[in-house]
Amino acid sequence: MKASIIVPTYNERENLKILVERIANSLKEREYEIIVVDDNSPDGTWKLAQDLAQFYPIRLIKREGKRGLASAVVDGFSYATGHCFVVMDADLQHPPELVPELIDAIEGGADLAIASRYVKGGGIRGWSHFRRFISMGAVWLARIFLTSVRDPMSGFFALKRDVIEGVDLRPRGYKILLEILVKGKYSRVVEIPYIFEPRKLGQSKLNKKQYVEYLKHLISLMRYKGELQRLLKFTIVGVPGVLVNEGLLFILTELLSIHYLLSALLSTECSILSNFTLNDLWTFKNRRDRGIKRFFKRAIKSNLGFGIGVLINLFILFALTENAKVHYLISNLLGIIAAFIWNFLISIRWIWK
Ligand code: GDD
Ligand code: MN
């Protein structure tokens, strides 16, 4: 299977030659092409690519201005002639020696093969705690809402051509893999561990703007997938739940003189049942399996999952009311917010998985 290695470049003159040599060494016996997508780099990376094309199977796309990593990759796809596409950075942070393994995975039947930092054996060298933290947060958000892949932020991956054929990719920012994971047509995904090495030459083009870009991208993909709507529905369903909860808590405590903790327990159980029913009928309509047995299974799971939510709620209610002398209605509200986050996570990851 012919492989097209797509390499976006912007000011990577110092890295390109070594990259191409190492790719060529790794792919000796194979049929491949390297597609360099350069945005008219001021350092003349495109010129070097032209020179190298005399010795290596390089095809160059030279674009007129800096238009972003993701869009460079998508342009690379439309130019590629292989049946297996490999995407990688030019700066040697992605080890070229892993390329054959990625291609083998595709030839072995996988639709997507991702070089992953977050599976066993993978990792990152040389990142600050800050960047690690940001990366983990970004991965975490994507995994909650969009994909079960462990490293959906990887910039190093291979895919079958068919995965994106006819798919309307809207590249923005850096995260082209995430776009493919949400919109592509695939079933088998493998992740192959690798170590993301520190950059030795040249500079990273990642800046703070990309963080904001990423959040916008995430939200637009959530919308595309219907997950944003789901979150909204879950929140809307939560409102009557909160009203039932606070209202009953007030009535039981003030009018029937029941201890506020016991009142909270009763009122929260009532809101669990109403939340479960509404979410099952509406929020997770397209995710639930038919049948009465399954329905009860979900009901039980909900009581367990939301039950822990109750404990979180009660704990915060108790701790704040008793220790911080916060009014119990306010403590309860804060408890409900914490429980809401927990409940949403347990719902999408477990109850209506
Ligand atoms: N054509 C083009 N246009 N190329 C670009 C542009 C652009 O606007 N911006 C960046 N590139 C190229 C760089 O020249 C490099 O080859 C590659 O894209 C990655 O850019 P870096 O600036 O080195 O990114 P990074 O190291 O911070 O992050 C990379 O690795 C992460 C982990 O795999 C990216 O691939 C991230 O998407 C990825 O999460
Ligand atoms: Mn880099």
Side-chain angles (χ1 to χ4, degrees):
M1 196 187 288
K2 181 175 177 182
S4 299
I5 325 288
I6 292 150
V7 184
T9 58
Y10 193 77
N11 288 347
E12 301 291 358
R13 204 189 158 80
E14 297 154 291
N15 293 309
L16 191 64
K17 182 155 187 268
I18 308 168
L19 177 84
V20 168
E21 279 168 358
R22 279 172 63 182
I23 291 177
N25 268 328
S26 309
L27 296 181
K28 267 186 200 110
E29 310 288 301
R30 303 176 191 239
E31 195 192 350
Y32 71 97
E33 63 183 355
I34 300 175
I35 298 189
V36 174
V37 189
D38 188 77
D39 284 355
N40 198 10
S41 297
D43 78 348
T45 307
W46 52 274
K47 180 80 186 54
L48 177 62
Q50 278 173 346
D51 295 345
L52 289 169
Q54 297 177 338
F55 310 100
Y56 301 95
I58 293 178
R59 297 169 64 216
L60 170 70
I61 305 179
K62 187 180 163 208
R63 309 194 304 174
E64 271 327 305
K66 190 166 185 300
R67 302 224 315 268
L69 170 54
S71 93
V73 171
V74 171
D75 278 354
F77 287 154
S78 60
Y79 201 57
T81 60
H83 278 276
C84 169
F85 297 164
V86 180
V87 176
M88 70 187 299
D89 294 347
D91 57 4
L92 305 171
Q93 294 193 273
H94 296 156
E97 291 67 33
L98 198 69
V99 172
E101 255 183 83
L102 292 173
I103 298 173
D104 285 347
I106 299 296
E107 284 179 347
D111 300 306
L112 261 167
I114 300 169
S116 175
R117 296 163 293 173
Y118 300 123
V119 291
K120 197 164 168 269
I124 295 165
R125 252 199 286 272
W127 267 13
S128 65
H129 287 296
F130 178 72
R131 191 158 177 202
R132 262 173 217 271
F133 176 76
I134 294 283
S135 174
M136 291 297 280
V139 166
W140 198 73
L141 282 175
R143 292 188 56 205
I144 288 174
F145 292 112
L146 297 174
T147 175
S148 52
V149 161
R150 301 199 132 258
D151 192 357
M153 304 291 122
S154 179
F156 190 17
F157 55 93
L159 60 147
K160 276 206 180 90
R161 178 184 205 104
D162 309 340
V163 172
I164 54 154
E165 199 106 81
V167 175
D168 179 24
L169 295 175
R170 297 266 168 88
R172 74 188 286 174
Y174 259 47
K175 305 306 171 190
I176 182 62
L177 176 59
L178 193 60
E179 179 90 8
I180 294 170
L181 283 168
V182 172
K183 298 184 176 172
K185 297 170 288 184
Y186 58 91
S187 48
R188 279 194 56 198
V189 183
V190 294
E191 287 187 76
I192 299 172
Y194 86 104
I195 306 278
F196 189 72
E197 297 287 347
R199 192 189 248 274
K200 293 196 188 73
L201 299 166
Q203 266 166 18
S204 171
K205 282 91 208 168
L206 188 82
N207 51 34
K208 298 247 163 54
K209 217 180 103 202
Q210 300 299 343
Y211 299 153
V212 181
E213 268 305 302
Y214 170 66
L215 288 180
K216 287 191 196 157
H217 193 192
L218 185 85
I219 289 171
S220 83
L221 288 177
M222 279 173 68
R223 194 139 126 214
Y224 177 88
K225 243 192 134 183
E227 295 302 317
L228 195 67
Q229 293 83 329
R230 200 195 297 286
L231 179 60
L232 203 72
K233 287 179 183 172
F234 194 82
T235 313
I236 292 172
V237 164
V239 171
V242 172
L243 292 182
V244 167
N245 198 325
E246 287 272 276
L248 261 180
L249 176 63
F250 177 77
I251 291 169
L252 295 177
T253 310
E254 301 294 337
L255 305 183
L256 299 178
S257 303
I258 297 174
H259 188 268
Y260 74 94
L261 276 182
L262 184 59
S263 312
L265 201 67
L266 295 170
S267 55
T268 312
E269 179 59 28
C270 282
S271 66
I272 282 185
L273 293 175
S274 82
N275 279 5
F276 165 70
T277 314
L278 291 174
N279 278 321
D280 204 63
L281 291 174
W282 193 43
T283 316
F284 292 98
K285 192 170 183 222
N286 64 350
R287 267 214 207 176
R288 60 164 200 246
D289 307 307
R290 307 276 143 192
I292 196 76
K293 239 174 111 178
R294 295 275 169 79
F295 173 82
F296 277 112
K297 205 173 155 194
R298 287 195 300 277
I300 290 166
K301 278 179 157 184
S302 288
N303 264 286
L304 275 172
F306 296 164
I308 293 174
V310 173
L311 291 181
I312 293 172
N313 191 344
L314 282 181
F315 175 78
I316 290 175
L317 170 65
F318 180 73
L320 291 184
T321 308
E322 297 298 323
N323 299 331
K325 304 285 174 244
V326 178
H327 190 276
Y328 67 90
L329 285 179
I330 295 178
S331 313
N332 192 43
L333 206 60
L334 293 173
I336 288 170
I337 291 170
F340 172 86
I341 295 170
W342 162 264
N343 285 347
F344 183 70
L345 293 181
I346 204 76
S347 295
I348 55 174
R349 305 299 284 198
W350 189 52
I351 304 168
W352 288 278
K353 199 174 166 31

